[in-house]
Amino acid sequence: MYDQPRANSSQTSMTFEQMLERVRYEGAYPTRERAAVAVRQVLAALGRQLTGKERVDLTQCLPVEAALALTASAPDGEPLPGWDFVKDLAARTSATPATARWDTGAVFAAVTRLAGPDLLARILHQLPDGYALLFGKAELRRPEPAAA
């Protein structure tokens, strides 16, 4: 039997229009259309980084339109570190790295709210270094193996 899409089970669900308004506010975008462009571009880029259960669980937390943007592209073989994610987004969207970083922060603020702390922690654990700051969280260093 196939899994059927489930209703948004996050505690802080929102419609796509509410998500756009949140991103518009966070990013200080002049229009909802500009916020929608940022949402689609950033979520498509994030979708290329996430795999497995975290990708599925995040998709279920997002409004349908945002979930479709996240799943529009297949995951890349190896996820990019945080700053490389921003540079790749800038190159794909013909934006400056500063604009891509701004868009990422605005969209990830809404994603953080929708995902909740547990799923966000799992997502950050899956991704390489540099994403915590993009999600507005402290970047904790991962323990390094002892030298042999």
Side-chain angles (χ1 to χ4, degrees), residues 57-143:
D57 290 350
L58 180 57
T59 300
Q60 292 174 347
C61 291
L62 297 173
V64 172
E65 299 89 336
L68 290 172
L70 181 80
T71 59
S73 300
D76 290 341
E78 187 70 29
L80 299 170
W83 180 238
D84 290 342
F85 171 86
V86 171
K87 291 190 299 188
D88 182 65
L89 178 62
R92 289 176 186 261
T93 62
S94 300
T96 66
T99 299
R101 172 61 181 95
W102 185 270
D103 291 347
T104 299
V107 174
F108 282 5
V111 170
T112 296
R113 182 179 176 116
L114 288 163
D118 294 337
L119 177 55
L120 183 59
R122 290 181 20 231
I123 289 169
L124 291 175
H125 183 73
Q126 181 187 114
L127 294 170
D129 289 338
Y131 283 87
L133 292 174
L134 297 175
F135 280 97
K137 304 296 178 191
E139 181 79 47
L140 301 176
R141 292 191 56 118
R142 295 180 184 169

